[in-house]
Amino acid sequence: MMNENYLKSELYSSIKNDEQIFDFIQDNCLDGLWYWDLEKPENEWMNPRFWQILGYNPNDMPHSPSAWQHIINKNDLEVAIDNFQKHLADENHPYDQIVRYRHKEGYTIWIRCKGKAMRDQKGKPVRMLGVHNDITDFKNKEIRYKSLIESTNVGTWEWNVQSGQIVFNERWANIVGYTLAELEPISIETWKKLAYPDDLEESRRRLKECFEKKTDYYDFETRMRHKDGQWIWVSERGKILEWTEDSKPLMMYGTHQDINERRKKEEELIISEEAFRGNFENAAIGMALLNPNGKWLKINKKLSDIIGYSEEELLNLTFQDITYHEDLDKDLSLLQELVQDKRSHYQLEKRYYHKLVHIIHILLAVSMVKNKDGNVLYFISQIIDISTLKKIENEIKSLLTITNEQNERLRNFAHIVSHNLRSHSGGISGILELLKVKYPDIANNEMVLLATKGATNLLQTVNDLTEVVQVNLNEAKVFSINLSDVIQKNIESLNMEIKL
């Protein structure tokens, strides 16, 4: 404290005795300094910096309030005059406001104007000392920031952390189903009453972290009660733009955005992903995700069992590495058609090399997932091991080959038997005819008639047997029997035995 008092006293003394020190302070710490004679209000001194900020030559400007009153915003002037009157009446009322001046070139200069009345022994204000700080850059950024926010149709809020005063825009209220008028009077309690109770503590924790670590940014997704009684999700983001002299947060500005639909979709996506993950991991068939280059991204246990590789081993390979070389071109061709949207999926039988080198047969089905730009994110493969079915199929083919060979031999046998029996039947019939010619008297002989009939029946039997063979070999579509003829032939064949 001794050093502070010593240095302070020394500085005050130096200012009194050396005008250069005062000039240095006003030129480097302030953007304007003014001193007003309240007893002669037409006299007001403005330092050169004040006019330079506004684009004027200080040497051309008179030291009078009339020199600047026509370039100050009229509404701001009314506020300044009101604060001035209140400050003169009560020295505890601060003369502190932000006003707009019109620069000589026509654009706006934002000035923070602060002042203090100097009073005589009776407390009567006799002079007014004031300072200006150019905050144009800050205000322009603030205006751009607010314009940008308004164009995005999000709610905005401004919060004086020290006083608790808070300001919402109309959109902020609309997001939770209200008009701003319905929420008045507006205070920090307005937000607390609408906030989801379980989220309040987390919000306080994040704000505290923001204040203590001076990270400036606050970002939190919370639930708020809509006017219709439903809880909706909103995103709250804020930034501390002003700090107090003792490094405490002063002014905080932020946004309030409706993210309820997004959160619903995220929750639905999580449920969908969990369902897919469960189906993927527990599927009875092999399943895999592959990147656009054919590299394995993820496989389930069933696929690992089919091809013999662990997931870690397979992630270092591509599907091309384990595909049987003769099947690769067909697979790649179909995959290219899939990428080009010529088909939505494809299916084919192909062969893989098992980790133990032997070949396995699989049935492969492939589809794909693209992003919003139409680029392939990954392929989804479903793989069924059909090696056993292929083995059975080959065995059936082998049996069919043997059966066809046997049928061919049977057909040949039938032809031989048919040919031989036809020859014998024809020979018997020929001999009988010769006997009839040489011995006409025996033509009606009962034994000759029976022999002739027997030869004819033998020929018919050969024809019938040939038809039976053809049916068995699928060479005849229709096979009919005249039962009456069959019975009659059998009677005739047995006629001699019957007579005996």
Side-chain angles (χ1 to χ4, degrees):
M1 292 297 295
M2 293 298 294
N3 287 339
E4 181 183 344
N5 290 340
Y6 160 71
L7 293 174
K8 181 178 179 180
S9 299
E10 183 179 294
L11 177 60
Y12 278 24
S13 177
S14 297
I15 293 174
K16 292 177 182 178
N17 298 321
D18 189 345
E19 292 183 355
Q20 291 182 351
I21 295 177
F22 176 76
D23 289 341
F24 173 80
I25 293 174
Q26 69 159 324
D27 290 341
N28 292 280
C29 296
L30 304 171
D31 294 317
L33 184 68
W34 50 275
Y35 192 54
W36 192 12
D37 185 347
L38 300 181
E39 295 178 317
K40 298 177 181 180
E42 69 277 7
N43 295 324
E44 182 181 19
W45 173 77
M46 305 286 187
N47 75 335
R49 181 66 177 157
F50 173 86
W51 292 113
Q52 291 168 354
I53 290 293
L54 298 174
Y56 295 91
N57 185 342
N59 297 325
D60 298 335
M61 306 308 296
H63 294 287
S64 170
S66 60
W68 56 264
Q69 287 180 350
H70 70 285
I71 61 172
I72 189 174
N73 180 277
K74 298 304 180 184
N75 293 330
D76 296 345
L77 179 60
E78 292 178 5
V79 173
I81 291 174
D82 181 63
N83 280 337
F84 172 70
Q85 296 295 341
K86 291 177 179 178
H87 177 68
L88 294 185
D90 179 5
E91 64 179 4
N92 292 319
H93 182 85
Y95 182 74
D96 185 354
Q97 62 272 313
I98 294 174
V99 297
R100 290 162 287 181
Y101 282 94
R102 186 175 66 255
H103 191 274
K104 186 179 180 180
E105 295 182 1
Y107 56 86
T108 299
I109 297 294
W110 292 81
I111 298 291
R112 184 174 185 180
C113 179
K114 299 177 70 174
K116 180 175 178 59
M118 296 181 176
R119 304 172 187 269
D120 61 17
Q121 294 180 349
K122 295 181 179 180
K124 177 185 175 182
V126 294
R127 299 286 188 273
M128 189 79 174
L129 176 64
V131 296
H132 282 173
N133 292 105
D134 182 3
I135 61 170
T136 303
D137 286 344
F138 171 79
K139 291 299 293 185
N140 285 339
K141 290 178 181 177
E142 181 183 47
I143 291 171
R144 287 195 295 270
Y145 170 77
K146 288 184 177 180
S147 298
L148 178 63
I149 294 301
E150 291 298 331
S151 68
T152 59
N153 198 31
V154 300
T156 63
W157 48 273
E158 302 175 17
W159 180 30
N160 186 316
V161 182
Q162 299 304 312
S163 68
Q165 182 181 8
I166 194 164
V167 177
F168 300 136
N169 72 345
E170 189 69 32
R171 178 57 183 158
W172 191 100
N174 296 159
I175 288 174
V176 287
Y178 295 90
T179 63
L180 205 56
E182 289 177 306
L183 294 176
E184 291 181 349
I186 304 296
S187 70
I188 192 65
E189 295 301 319
T190 306
W191 178 79
K192 290 181 179 179
K193 288 178 182 178
L194 294 172
Y196 190 72
D198 292 347
D199 295 343
L200 274 176
E201 189 59 36
E202 177 63 16
S203 175
R204 292 191 185 100
R205 187 192 69 77
R206 295 195 182 197
L207 280 171
K208 182 179 179 182
E209 184 179 77
C210 177
F211 297 159
E212 291 179 349
K213 294 184 178 180
K214 295 182 174 55
T215 56
D216 290 353
Y217 289 99
Y218 163 80
D219 191 349
F220 185 50
E221 293 185 358
T222 183
R223 288 157 289 185
M224 301 191 73
R225 185 179 291 280
H226 193 274
K227 185 179 180 180
D228 64 11
Q230 301 295 317
W231 291 106
I232 65 168
W233 282 96
V234 297
S235 170
E236 295 208 335
R237 295 182 177 180
K239 178 176 175 59
I240 303 171
L241 295 181
E242 294 183 58
W243 297 82
T244 65
E245 294 179 355
D246 54 351
S247 299
K248 293 181 179 179
L250 179 58
M251 291 302 300
M252 194 168 186
Y253 300 86
T255 62
H256 178 94
Q257 186 174 7
D258 183 354
I259 58 169
N260 202 49
E261 287 303 315
R262 192 203 80 194
R263 287 296 296 244
K264 282 184 178 179
K265 290 180 180 179
E266 287 177 352
E267 290 172 0
E268 291 172 358
L269 181 60
I270 290 172
I271 294 173
S272 176
E273 287 178 345
E274 289 178 350
F276 175 78
R277 188 178 300 110
N279 291 333
F280 184 92
E281 296 295 343
N282 301 312
I285 62 174
M287 294 190 69
L289 302 180
L290 300 93
N291 74 6
N293 296 320
K295 187 175 178 62
W296 305 90
L297 298 175
K298 186 173 181 59
I299 69 169
N300 67 351
K301 185 177 183 304
K302 182 62 177 178
L303 180 57
S304 179
D305 294 339
I306 291 173
I307 58 181
Y309 290 93
S310 67
E311 183 173 14
E312 293 75 15
E313 292 171 328
L314 205 59
L315 294 184
N316 294 317
L317 302 172
T318 65
F319 80 86
Q320 295 94 323
D321 294 328
I322 66 170
T323 296
Y324 187 69
H325 61 280
E326 292 183 3
D327 298 341
L328 185 56
D329 288 345
K330 177 63 175 177
D331 198 356
L332 291 176
S333 176
L334 291 171
L335 191 67
Q336 186 64 25
E337 291 181 12
L338 185 65
V339 172
Q340 295 172 350
D341 289 326
K342 293 181 179 179
R343 57 174 65 240
S344 60
H345 64 280
Y346 71 87
Q347 180 175 304
L348 82 158
E349 292 183 10
K350 60 180 287 189
R351 288 161 288 185
Y352 276 151
Y353 291 107
H354 192 276
K355 182 182 178 181
L356 300 179
V357 183
H358 63 270
I359 293 174
I360 57 174
H361 293 261
I362 61 132
L363 178 63
L364 172 67
V366 180
S367 58
M368 67 180 171
V369 176
K370 291 186 174 182
N371 61 19
K372 62 180 181 180
D373 298 322
N375 298 318
V376 178
L377 291 176
Y378 52 85
F379 297 105
I380 303 175
S381 293
Q382 300 179 65
I383 298 163
I384 300 175
D385 184 0
I386 59 172
S387 298
T388 301
L389 292 177
K390 277 294 182 179
K391 183 179 179 181
I392 294 173
E393 180 183 333
N394 291 334
E395 290 175 353
I396 291 174
K397 286 181 179 179
S398 178
L399 289 174
L400 286 174
T401 299
I402 294 172
T403 301
N404 289 333
E405 292 175 353
Q406 290 176 340
N407 286 341
E408 186 63 28
R409 286 195 293 271
L410 179 60
R411 183 183 294 108
N412 293 334
F413 175 76
H415 288 161
I416 293 171
V417 171
S418 174
H419 177 268
N420 291 340
L421 289 178
R422 286 176 188 275
S423 297
H424 294 311
S425 173
I428 294 171
S429 297
I431 291 171
L432 290 173
E433 290 299 320
L434 289 174
L435 289 173
K436 289 178 183 179
V437 172
K438 188 173 183 178
Y439 304 104
D441 295 340
I442 67 170
N444 295 318
N445 183 276
E446 187 174 0
M447 296 297 294
V448 173
L449 291 174
L450 287 173
T452 301
K453 191 66 173 176
T456 301
N457 289 343
L458 176 61
L459 181 61
Q460 184 61 46
T461 299
V462 170
N463 291 334
D464 292 342
L465 288 174
T466 301
E467 286 188 28
V468 170
V469 171
Q470 289 175 343
V471 169
N472 288 333
L473 296 175
N474 294 322
E475 293 183 354
K477 294 182 179 179
V478 179
F479 180 69
S480 61
I481 299 175
N482 190 322
L483 189 58
S484 176
D485 291 345
V486 173
I487 295 172
Q488 184 60 40
K489 289 176 183 178
N490 280 280
I491 292 174
E492 291 174 354
S493 299
L494 298 173
N495 190 42
M496 182 62 69
E497 296 181 16
I498 292 172
K499 289 183 177 182
L500 295 175

